Amino acid sequence: MVRYFTRLRVRRIYKWGGRPYIFDRKLKSYVTTVTPGQYILIEGNDDEYPFVAKLLKLFGDESHKQKKALVQWFLRLSEVPQNKKLLLGRSPHPQEIFYYLGRACDDEINAESILGTVHVRQDNSPASVVPELRNSVCFPCFLIQVTPSTPRCATPCIPSRTVPARQPGNILEEARARLHVSSVPESLPCREQEFQDIYNFVESKVMDGTGGCMYISGVPGTGKTATIHEVIRCLQHASDMDEIPTFRFIEINGMKMTDPHQAYVQILQKLTDQKVTADHAAALLEKRFSNPAPKKETTVLLVDELDLLWTRKQNVMYNLFDWPTRRHARLVVLTIANTMDLPERIMINRVASRLGLTRMSFQPYSFKQLQQIITSRLNKVKAFEEDALQLVSRKVAALSGDARRCLDICRRATEICEHSASHPSSAGLVKMSHVMEALDEMFSSSYITAIRCASLQEQLFLRAVIAEFRRLGLEEATFQQVFVQHRTLSRVEGLQPISLSEGLAVCQRLGACRLLLLEASRLDMLQRVRLNVSQDDVLYALKPVRD
Amino acid sequence: MSKRKVKETHMPVGECISQVQMILRERFCHQRLPEKPVGMESQHKHLLELLRRTAVHGESNSVLIVGPRGSGKTMLLNCVLRELLEVKDVNKNVLPVHLNGLLQTDDRIALKEITRQLNLENVVGDKVFGSFAENLAFLLEALKKGDRSSSRPVLFILDEFDLFAHHKNQTLLYNLLDVSQSAQAPVAVIGLTCRLDVLELLEKRVKSRFSHRQIHLLSSLSFIQYLDNVRSQLSLPQDFPDTKFYDEWNDSIKTLCEDQLVVDVLQSHYNSSKDFRSLHLLLMLALSRVSASKPAIKPTDLLEASRVCMVDSKANILHGLSILELCLIIAMKHLNDIYEGEPFNFQMVHNEFKKFLQRKSHSIHNFDKPVVIKAFEHLQQLELIKSMDSSTAKIQKEYQLMKLLLDHSQIMEALQKYPQCPTDVKQWAMSAFG
C-alpha cells in the first residue's frame, strides 16, 4: 500500500517584538522566539532538510518594511562537496553540520524565511551520541530531530494533487460542470418567496437582538439547505455593509454525528473552539445562553436533519428549542427535516410548543421550475435541445420533484451524447434520444432483464414457482413443493432432471439477486419461497422474444 | 526427471506440464485479471470514463455495479482500476480506499479503516487515534477543506454495498454521498452488490444524494460464446516458451471442445448457471487430472469433473449410514407418503419399523429400543431430520415432532448405490407392503 505524505502544518506568524511571548493557552499555538545568538532553521528548497544557521543580527531595511537577518551559515553533510569530505579524516555522522566560512552566498536573509529554533551542540567526542528530546543539533556532529509520537496538533487535510485538475474543454464538458449538483448558483431560482420569508425572519431577529425558532420541512432535493445558505450569505454581506448588527453562523447536521448528544460538543466547538465531553458541553452552553454578557452577538444555528437528534427523553431537542427563549441568549435556531408533521409525530408537547409555529414547507419542484433551474444553470451554454430539457423536467416532476435527480439525469445525457459521437468535439446538442436513454438507465428496474439473462434452470425454477403458487392458491410455497413442479417441467422440456442439491443452488442464486425471497438456508428444502417480482412481470420476461 | 536440454524452445514434458498448470491455475484459482474483460465492453467503457473524469477533472460521482454472484463485478472494477492507474498523471493523484461490507460490519470500524487507508494525520503507524465521533469529525473536516481543483480525488470502493445500508442510520453512506454532491474534495463512491433491489434499502435522504447510476453486469452469453470462452480459458497464451507443446496443447483443446460428450457436459453446466466462477471450478477439477504421464485433458476428465460438481450433497452421507439407520429413513419415507409430509415423531417411526420386522419375522434387524433411539439421534446429528419446534419446551425426545430433510428421489438413488444392501430392505423401500 502506498504511503501518502502528510505533514504537520504549522501556521507561522511573524511578530517583531522585544519580549518573549508566553504560550497562549487559548489560542493553542506554540510560539517560539528568535533572538540573536540562537541557532535557527531556515526555509529552503527541501522541506525535510531546512538550512541551519546561527542568527547574528536582526534588523530592518531602509524603508523598515522588510525585516532582514544576518546569519552565519552551516552546511549539512549532503551539501559538502566530495573532496572536502575526505579531508575530514573520519567517517562523518549523518547528522553532522559544519561551519560555512565561504563567501559564496548571502549572509543576509529575509526574516520571514525563518522556520524555528534548533539546538546545536558542540561535541568533541563523536562517539557519544546523546539523544535529546527537542530538536537537537550537535556541532560539529549530530543533528537529531524527533517526530512526535502521538499527534496532538493533527490537522485534517487530504493531500493535494501534483497536477491541477483539468478545466472543461468543450461545450458538453462545460455543461456537465455546471450541471453538477455541487455547483450551487449564487441565487437559487424558483425559491424567491421562501428566501424572502426566511431572510425577513432572521433579519428581524438579528436586528431586534432576540431569539427564535423556525422549522423548515420538505422532501429531499428541494433546496432547503441551499436556500438557507444563500440567506446567510446575504445577511453576512449586509452586516459587512453595517446595515445590520454582526452575527455568528453555526451549522450542525444530525447525520454527521454519531450520537445526538454530540450536538452539544459540536456547537460548543464551533462557538468557542473548546473540545469537551458532551455533558460538560451541555453545561457550558446552558451557562452561556442563560447569563447576560455585554456586546454579545446573535448566534444563528442551523440544525440539519433534525429527526436524528431524537432521543428517548428528547432533551437535546428540548434544549435546542429552549435556549432561544431565554432573554439573554440571542439565539436563532433554524431546523430542517423532511416531514411536515414531525413536531406532532415525534415530539412531546413541551418540546413541540417551544419549537413554535413558525414553519415553512418547501414543495417539490414542478416541471416548469425544474426547467428553469436547468436553464439558469446552463446560462447560455447551448448544450441541450429544448424538448429534451422538457422531457427530463416533466419526467422527474411527475415522479419526485427532486432537483438532484433532474441534474444527474441531464449530466448522464451529456455523457451519452459525448460517447455516441465519433469525436468528442463534434458531439453537437443533446437530443431526445440521448435523454431517453439516460432516463431508461436511471429509472428502470432491471428485474426483467435479469430474468431474461438468467440461465435455463433458473428460468425453469421461476416457472415452477409460479405453477406451484397457482396450484396452492397462495403466495408462498416450500422449496420441496416447487422442486416437484420443477422436475415435471424439466421432463416436459426434455431436459435431464437435476439433483436436489443443484436445485437448492439454483434457488440460492435467485435468492441472492432478490428475484426470490427465501427463508434461512439452514432449513434446507423446507425453506419457504416467495416471489419478489410480480407474476405477470415474470411471465412477460419469460415469453420468447419474437424477432 | 530428464536432464534439461540446451535448446530453449524445447522443454521436457514435466516442465511444460508444470508451466501449464501454473498458468491455468492462476486463471482459475488466483483470480488473475484477464487482458480485457469478456462480454462487458460497454460497461467497461462507462466505468472507465466515469473514473477518469473523477481523476482528471475532479468531478465527484457515485455509481453502483450490480450483478449476480460470480458475474465479474470485482474483476471489472480491478481491470478498470488497472487501466486507470497506468496513466502516469492519474497514478500519483488518486487515493483508493477499499472497504468491504463483510469486514467492516459497523460504521465505527469502517471509519477507522478509511482513516487508516487515507493515512490522515490522526494515524500513527497502523493505529488510529480518537473516538468514533472524533474520527468522523476529522474525516469530514479533511474532506470539507479540499476543493475540486487542488485536492487529490478519493475513490471509495464499497464491496457488498447492501451490507453498508444495514448500519445504523446509514451514517457512512449519507456522509460519503453528501461529499460527492458538495463542493468539497472530489470523491467517487463505487458500490458493488448482487442485490437487484439495493436502492430500496437506502433511506430517502441517502437515495436522493445517490446519483442513481447503475452498471448492470447481466451476462447475455449464448452457448456458442460460452464454448468459445471455455476454449480460450483453457488455451495457453502466445508467449509460452515451448512452441511445439503450445501448438499440441491448443490443438488438443480445440478437438476437446468439439467432442460431443464435452459439449453435453458444458451444456448442462451452462443450463445451470452462466457465470464464470462455477466454470472455473469445473475446469480446475479437470485440470488437476493432467500430469506428466497424461499431458492432455480428455473428455472423460471433464465428465468426471462434472460428476463431482453436480453430485448430490446428501448422497455420500446416505452411503455412510448403517443398515438400521437406513431402515429408519425408509420408515420415515413411508410415513411421509402416507401422511403427506406431516411431521412425525420417533414413536411413529419405530412403529412403522416394527411392522416391517413383523412381516419379515427376521431377527437380524431386531434391535432394542435404546439402540434404535441412538440411531435416530445420529440421524438428527447428521441433520437428515430436523426438529420442527424450536421451543425448548420439555417434551420427551421420543415424542418431539421432526421432519425429514431428504427427498424421495434422493433416498431411492442412494439405495441403488448402497454397497451390499440387504434385499428385503430394498424391497421394503419399493413398496410399504412388500
Side-chain angles (χ1 to χ4, degrees):
Chain A
M1 195 177 59
V2 184
R3 238 190 108 79
Y4 300 110
F5 247 143
T6 53
R7 226 182 356 260
L8 278 181
R9 293 227 180 275
V10 184
R11 207 162 45 128
R12 303 198 297 267
I13 308 172
Y14 296 91
K15 277 207 158 75
W16 203 248
R19 323 183 309 275
Y21 285 86
I22 47 172
F23 172 58
D24 197 331
R25 203 175 283 285
K26 286 215 188 102
L27 292 180
K28 272 205 171 20
S29 54
Y30 288 96
V31 177
T32 50
T33 56
V34 177
T35 51
Q38 282 186 317
Y39 295 96
I40 54 176
L41 287 172
I42 296 172
E43 198 175 9
N45 295 336
D46 194 353
D47 280 331
E48 291 271 275
Y49 301 105
F51 298 132
V52 184
K54 180 173 175 182
L55 188 61
L56 298 176
K57 200 163 80 157
L58 284 166
F59 60 94
D61 68 358
E62 291 82 12
S63 56
H64 282 278
K65 284 216 185 79
Q66 187 78 330
K67 305 295 185 228
K68 285 198 176 301
L70 190 66
V71 297
Q72 169 63 56
W73 289 104
F74 285 97
L75 281 179
R76 282 184 186 259
L77 190 61
S78 48
E79 293 164 30
V80 175
Q82 192 62 21
N83 44 2
K84 307 279 191 227
K85 274 189 202 167
L86 298 172
L87 287 179
L88 200 54
R90 55 171 171 84
S91 55
H93 190 276
Q95 288 179 342
E96 199 166 332
I97 58 170
F98 304 91
Y99 245 140
Y100 182 63
L101 294 169
R103 291 249 136 242
C105 65
D106 272 352
D107 288 337
E108 279 184 17
I109 55 155
N110 201 342
E112 290 187 358
S113 58
I114 298 177
L115 287 174
T117 52
V118 106
H119 193 53
V120 176
R121 192 159 62 91
Q122 289 207 30
D123 193 352
N124 292 321
S125 55
S128 63
V129 180
V130 181
E132 305 251 0
L133 282 172
R134 301 265 353 228
N135 294 333
S136 181
V137 179
C138 303
F139 160 74
C141 275
F142 310 107
L143 175 87
I144 299 165
Q145 272 185 335
V146 175
T147 49
S149 56
T150 46
R152 261 176 224 290
C153 315
T155 46
C157 76
I158 301 278
S160 323
R161 303 172 68 108
T162 52
V163 193
R166 214 182 285 176
Q167 294 301 321
N170 55 29
I171 291 193
L172 283 179
E173 282 182 16
E174 178 71 38
R176 252 207 303 280
R178 288 187 191 205
L179 287 173
H180 199 274
V181 180
S182 61
S183 27
V184 182
E186 279 281 319
S187 139
L188 283 139
C190 314
R191 286 293 179 220
E192 288 85 11
Q193 187 54 44
E194 287 87 351
F195 170 85
Q196 203 54 50
D197 292 340
I198 302 176
Y199 188 90
N200 292 342
F201 176 77
V202 184
E203 190 191 20
S204 65
K205 296 290 183 215
V206 169
M207 290 190 37
D208 292 343
T210 55
C213 279
M214 187 178 199
Y215 176 71
I216 298 159
S217 65
V219 287
T222 39
K224 306 179 287 291
T225 315
T227 308
I228 296 191
H229 283 156
E230 196 192 331
V231 166
I232 298 296
R233 247 201 327 270
C234 290
L235 284 171
Q236 285 280 16
H237 184 74
S239 99
D240 288 339
M241 300 280 148
D242 281 333
E243 289 165 21
I244 60 174
T246 55
F247 66 94
R248 273 197 78 160
F249 174 63
I250 303 174
E251 183 175 0
I252 62 172
N253 187 317
M255 273 282 210
K256 295 187 181 172
M257 289 185 235
T258 57
D259 180 67
H261 297 280
Q262 286 294 319
Y264 300 132
V265 176
Q266 288 197 6
I267 297 176
L268 188 71
Q269 189 171 10
K270 292 185 185 179
L271 274 179
T272 62
D273 243 353
Q274 287 172 288
K275 263 201 184 122
V276 294
T277 59
D279 296 327
H280 193 192
L284 285 173
L285 284 172
E286 176 75 33
K287 209 159 52 132
R288 185 194 168 94
F289 289 126
S290 315
N291 301 338
K295 292 192 250 191
K296 198 175 179 182
E297 48 181 18
T298 313
T299 317
V300 180
L301 173 67
L302 171 63
V303 183
D304 232 330
E305 321 290 7
L306 178 71
D307 48 320
L308 285 157
L309 292 180
W310 185 90
T311 54
R312 265 269 299 257
K313 290 205 226 149
Q314 297 186 16
N315 40 14
V316 178
M317 287 198 294
Y318 177 81
N319 281 328
L320 280 177
F321 303 146
D322 191 46
W323 286 329
T325 62
R326 310 275 170 86
R327 200 210 291 203
H328 302 289
R330 293 184 182 219
L331 177 67
V332 182
V333 177
L334 303 168
T335 60
I336 302 183
N338 291 124
T339 40
M340 205 152 65
D341 59 349
L342 190 86
E344 282 72 43
R345 234 163 11 97
I346 73 170
M347 292 186 199
I348 51 183
N349 284 336
R350 60 190 179 136
V351 178
S353 92
R354 275 165 178 81
L355 176 57
L357 297 168
T358 328
R359 308 215 183 149
M360 166 165 284
S361 175
F362 276 57
Q363 297 302 317
Y365 290 115
S366 70
F367 94 85
K368 280 213 174 65
Q369 290 175 324
L370 284 174
Q371 211 169 342
Q372 198 181 341
I373 290 175
I374 303 177
T375 22
S376 76
R377 283 255 185 141
L378 285 176
N379 197 16
K380 310 216 181 53
V381 170
K382 191 90 173 77
F384 279 81
E385 274 184 11
E386 267 311 307
D387 33 352
L389 268 183
Q390 261 215 15
L391 177 65
V392 179
S393 323
R394 276 182 197 267
K395 188 82 191 245
V396 176
L399 265 147
S400 55
D402 186 342
R404 287 187 184 116
R405 215 47 203 276
C406 193
L407 293 169
D408 279 326
I409 296 175
C410 294
R411 250 187 345 126
R412 177 78 190 126
T414 59
E415 286 165 32
I416 295 177
C417 177
E418 205 167 348
H419 287 174
S420 61
S422 51
H423 195 264
S425 53
S426 68
L429 292 179
V430 178
K431 302 189 183 36
M432 282 281 265
S433 56
H434 303 133
V435 166
M436 283 182 62
E437 202 182 317
L439 282 171
D440 242 351
E441 256 187 44
M442 296 173 97
F443 269 117
S444 67
S445 87
S446 49
Y447 288 117
I448 310 260
T449 339
I451 296 176
R452 285 215 179 108
C453 295
S455 70
L456 193 64
Q457 293 289 354
E458 286 165 11
Q459 288 177 343
L460 214 59
F461 195 82
L462 285 171
R463 273 212 203 118
V465 167
I466 296 184
E468 187 60 22
F469 286 2
R470 290 231 178 103
R471 187 185 78 90
L472 290 173
L474 298 171
E475 291 295 316
E476 73 176 20
T478 63
F479 172 80
Q480 198 173 9
Q481 293 165 320
V482 175
F483 192 64
V484 167
Q485 291 281 356
H486 182 96
R487 248 210 199 109
T488 325
L489 273 175
S490 39
R491 236 172 281 146
V492 166
E493 299 276 326
L495 292 168
Q496 188 78 298
I498 55 174
S499 66
L500 194 92
S501 333
E502 230 192 291
L504 270 172
V506 166
C507 187
Q508 283 301 322
R509 269 198 296 274
L510 287 171
C513 305
R514 296 298 186 282
L515 283 169
L516 293 178
L517 296 172
L518 304 174
E519 274 190 325
S521 61
R522 64 183 152 80
L523 293 170
D524 212 48
M525 48 182 223
L526 301 173
Q527 61 189 314
R528 281 177 292 196
V529 171
R530 282 173 163 251
L531 268 181
N532 201 16
V533 194
S534 78
Q535 290 192 18
D536 300 321
D537 284 344
V538 175
L539 290 173
Y540 171 74
L542 290 177
K543 240 194 289 196
V545 181
R546 291 207 193 98
D547 292 26
Chain B
M1 285 285 30
S2 49
K3 262 193 294 191
R4 184 88 186 250
K5 298 206 180 127
V6 180
K7 291 181 278 188
E8 62 267 31
T9 48
H10 280 298
M11 295 193 300
V13 174
E15 280 263 345
C16 290
I17 291 295
S18 55
Q19 277 275 16
V20 168
Q21 288 272 3
M22 200 177 68
I23 294 173
L24 292 185
R25 268 166 209 253
E26 265 199 350
R27 270 190 211 154
F28 302 151
C29 307
H30 296 187
Q31 281 116 32
R32 188 189 139 89
L33 295 178
E35 285 302 316
K36 251 203 129 40
V38 169
M40 35 178 97
E41 279 79 22
S42 62
Q43 290 100 330
H44 180 92
K45 191 168 161 210
H46 184 178
L47 189 61
L48 182 63
E49 273 310 303
L50 198 82
L51 293 184
R52 199 186 59 82
R53 278 206 307 277
T54 304
V56 173
H57 295 265
E59 182 187 292
S60 296
N61 277 314
S62 50
V63 66
L64 266 181
I65 305 177
V66 183
R69 291 231 181 265
S71 53
K73 305 181 285 290
T74 317
M75 191 251 307
L76 174 69
L77 182 66
N78 286 338
C79 279
V80 168
L81 281 179
R82 179 183 64 182
E83 208 174 314
L84 192 72
L85 293 176
E86 268 166 16
V87 180
K88 195 141 175 285
D89 274 349
V90 174
N91 197 356
K92 290 184 285 183
N93 269 326
V94 149
L95 300 171
V97 173
H98 292 266
L99 297 174
N100 190 314
L102 292 168
L103 298 174
Q104 280 91 40
T105 48
D106 191 8
D107 277 342
R108 192 180 304 252
I109 307 172
L111 264 176
K112 280 206 184 295
E113 186 61 26
I114 296 177
T115 317
R116 197 185 63 83
Q117 287 192 24
L118 283 178
N119 209 17
L120 294 181
E121 293 190 14
N122 54 350
V123 178
V124 175
D126 253 352
K127 185 156 166 31
V128 179
F129 287 89
S131 67
F132 181 25
E134 284 173 16
N135 285 346
L136 180 61
F138 200 83
L139 176 68
L140 290 178
E141 185 66 29
L143 288 169
K144 194 163 177 191
K145 276 200 191 158
D147 79 77
R148 200 193 74 102
S149 45
S150 65
S151 299
R152 283 203 194 159
V154 186
L155 302 181
F156 287 101
I157 296 158
L158 300 164
D159 242 324
E160 314 291 348
F161 184 82
D162 46 299
L163 293 177
F164 283 103
H166 290 304
H167 293 178
K168 179 174 176 246
N169 285 344
Q170 297 182 358
T171 331
L172 182 70
L173 286 182
Y174 176 92
N175 284 307
L176 290 181
L177 292 174
D178 192 50
V179 173
S180 82
Q181 299 235 314
S182 323
Q184 295 173 16
V187 301
V189 181
I190 306 157
L192 292 102
T193 178
C194 67
R195 284 181 70 153
L196 292 168
D197 64 343
V198 63
L199 285 183
E200 291 168 24
L201 291 171
L202 297 179
E203 215 213 353
K204 60 180 179 317
R205 287 178 274 235
V206 181
K207 198 167 163 190
S208 163
R209 282 165 172 79
F210 173 57
S211 72
H212 283 87
R213 266 173 225 268
Q214 293 188 58
I215 298 179
H216 290 281
L217 288 179
L218 298 168
S219 74
S220 47
L221 281 184
S222 71
F223 184 57
I224 311 290
Q225 289 166 322
Y226 189 78
L227 271 182
D228 274 337
N229 193 49
V230 170
R231 191 179 312 133
S232 60
Q233 293 268 350
L234 282 174
S235 305
L236 292 173
Q238 281 278 38
D239 56 0
F240 194 73
D242 188 339
T243 41
K244 180 162 159 290
F245 188 82
Y246 165 79
D247 288 328
E248 274 174 14
W249 178 270
N250 283 356
D251 284 335
S252 80
I253 294 296
K254 196 150 169 291
T255 43
L256 182 79
C257 292
E258 284 159 7
D259 187 296
Q260 190 54 40
L261 192 63
V262 169
V263 170
D264 287 338
V265 164
L266 289 174
Q267 178 81 56
S268 66
H269 265 266
Y270 174 77
N271 284 346
S272 180
S273 98
K274 287 186 193 175
D275 63 285
F276 290 139
R277 201 175 273 170
S278 46
L279 176 66
H280 284 174
L281 180 63
L282 177 73
L283 294 178
M284 183 66 220
L285 288 170
L287 181 70
S288 51
R289 288 186 162 71
V290 169
S291 64
S293 51
K294 196 171 85 63
I297 302 185
K298 297 268 182 297
T300 44
D301 291 337
L302 267 173
L303 192 61
E304 260 314 304
S306 162
R307 245 179 237 144
V308 169
C309 275
M310 314 245 259
V311 73
D312 190 74
S313 58
K314 302 254 173 76
N316 278 343
I317 305 179
L318 285 172
H319 290 172
L321 293 178
S322 65
I323 304 279
L324 174 59
E325 286 156 359
L326 199 60
C327 289
L328 287 179
I329 291 207
I330 297 173
M332 287 180 223
K333 173 175 102 72
H334 289 313
L335 279 177
N336 272 347
D337 289 337
I338 299 170
Y339 296 110
E340 285 180 6
E342 289 292 322
F344 47 78
N345 60 24
F346 169 74
Q347 285 296 121
M348 293 161 70
V349 176
H350 196 48
N351 287 345
E352 190 71 27
F353 181 46
K354 279 199 283 209
K355 274 196 261 179
F356 161 66
L357 291 177
Q358 279 165 6
R359 274 199 300 271
K360 292 291 163 180
S361 70
H362 273 219
S363 59
I364 191 166
H365 301 306
N366 200 350
F367 294 102
D368 286 335
K369 191 166 175 188
V371 181
V372 187
I373 291 183
K374 194 91 199 277
F376 193 76
E377 278 174 6
H378 187 220
L379 288 177
Q380 202 177 348
Q381 277 167 2
L382 288 172
E383 295 224 342
L384 292 173
I385 49 182
K386 200 173 166 68
S387 158
M388 269 291 85
D389 43 30
S390 50
S391 64
T392 52
K394 286 291 171 204
I395 314 178
Q396 261 188 301
K397 58 178 184 244
E398 294 104 329
Y399 297 101
Q400 273 180 351
L401 286 175
M402 307 274 187
K403 270 205 175 183
L404 183 63
L405 291 181
L406 287 172
D407 199 41
H408 185 111
S409 55
Q410 283 176 304
I411 304 174
M412 298 314 287
E413 252 184 70
L415 271 176
Q416 299 298 330
K417 302 199 185 118
Y418 192 88
Q420 286 140 12
C421 183
T423 25
D424 48 355
V425 172
K426 257 201 205 156
Q427 279 179 344
W428 179 39
M430 301 296 173
S431 95
F433 311 106

